[in-house]
């Protein structure tokens, strides 16, 4: 990790974006570009991820005909709503990654997402490649872990030791 690189850590609830800035005068002069500190430049909360289905729909299931033609309180659509909400957040994360890389234009960037959503988010980032080509091209290392609560000073070492090249 060198001066100018960015680090993006996210999960379904939030995203934090850090920029590598010089830690000392030697780093600023370009003599030791690896002497960096991470400064948070943006944070995004994904409010929809914190919602519960009960907050969106009413408490009672509607009264409509069940399969046998009798009146019933069938409520089999909740799981579809939960999936839709999760997919909306995954799409938003991918778009925010792509836009951030385009706006910041770093030499390279590092990405950490939880293992259970990494591939789905990355597919959406790749789908945006025509509009945001650097979002795919500038990814240097990634980690399939939730690092949103990790101390920012530990992130460079985590990416160095556990990070995978794409």
């Amino acid at each position: 990790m060198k001066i100018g690189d960015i680090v993006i850590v996210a999960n379904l609830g939030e995203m934090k974006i850090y920029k590598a800035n010089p830690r000392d005068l030697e780093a600023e002069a370009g003599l030791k570009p690896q002497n960096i500190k991470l400064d948070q430049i943006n944070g995004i909360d994904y409010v929809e991820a914190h919602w519960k289905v009960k907050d969106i729909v009413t408490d009672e299931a509607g009264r409509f005909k069940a399969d046998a033609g009798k009146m019933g309180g069938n409520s089999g659509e909740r799981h579809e709503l939960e999936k839709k909400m999760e997919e909306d957040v995954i799409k938003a994360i991918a778009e925010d990654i792509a836009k951030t890389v385009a706006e910041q234009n770093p030499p390279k960037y590092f990405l950490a997402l939880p293992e259970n959503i990494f591939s789905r988010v990355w597919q959406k980032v790749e789908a945006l490649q025509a509009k945001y080509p650097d979002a795919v091209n500038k990814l240097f290392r990634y980690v399939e872990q939730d690092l949103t609560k990790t101390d920012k000073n530990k992130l460079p070492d985590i990416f160095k030791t556990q990070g995978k090249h794409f």
Side-chain angles (χ1 to χ4, degrees):
M1 198 170 297
K2 293 190 167 56
I3 296 168
D5 293 342
I6 62 171
V7 175
I8 300 172
V9 295
N11 60 23
L12 287 174
E14 68 180 318
M15 177 184 288
K16 294 179 183 177
I17 303 156
Y18 301 98
K19 186 169 188 174
N21 290 316
R23 180 183 299 275
D24 52 30
L25 291 174
E26 289 178 315
E28 200 168 329
L31 300 173
K32 293 186 178 177
Q34 69 278 6
N35 287 357
I36 55 107
K37 62 181 176 137
L38 293 178
D39 293 324
Q40 187 170 346
I41 57 173
N42 200 359
I44 302 168
D45 284 328
Y46 298 104
V47 178
E48 193 172 307
H50 299 291
W51 290 350
K52 304 280 186 241
V53 173
K54 68 179 182 172
D55 297 334
I56 299 169
V57 297
T58 60
D59 288 344
E60 279 188 44
R63 303 288 290 173
F64 53 92
K65 290 190 178 193
D67 292 337
K70 298 177 183 175
M71 293 300 285
N74 192 351
S75 62
E77 297 300 319
R78 285 186 166 215
H79 64 284
E80 291 299 323
L81 182 58
E82 289 170 355
K83 284 184 197 174
K84 169 93 172 80
M85 288 169 50
E86 186 173 297
E87 281 304 311
D88 288 347
V89 172
I90 285 172
K91 182 178 178 186
I93 291 169
E95 288 174 358
D96 288 338
I97 290 169
K99 286 178 186 173
T100 298
V101 173
E103 290 168 4
Q104 295 295 320
N105 194 21
K108 59 186 183 288
Y109 77 100
F110 299 76
L111 178 65
L113 296 166
E115 187 177 1
N116 62 333
I117 65 167
F118 184 89
S119 62
R120 292 186 289 164
V121 170
W122 190 249
Q123 286 174 351
K124 301 238 185 266
V125 170
E126 288 178 322
L128 296 168
Q129 188 171 10
K131 188 174 180 182
Y132 302 104
D134 287 343
V136 174
N137 300 336
K138 291 190 175 185
L139 179 64
F140 186 67
R141 287 183 185 231
Y142 68 94
V143 175
E144 293 184 45
Q145 291 179 39
D146 184 356
L147 300 178
T148 54
K149 303 293 185 220
T150 303
D151 180 3
K152 67 181 180 179
N153 297 318
K154 295 179 181 178
L155 291 175
D157 288 334
I158 291 172
F159 279 103
K160 187 176 184 179
T161 59
Q162 300 173 30
K164 302 172 192 168
H165 287 282
F166 214 77

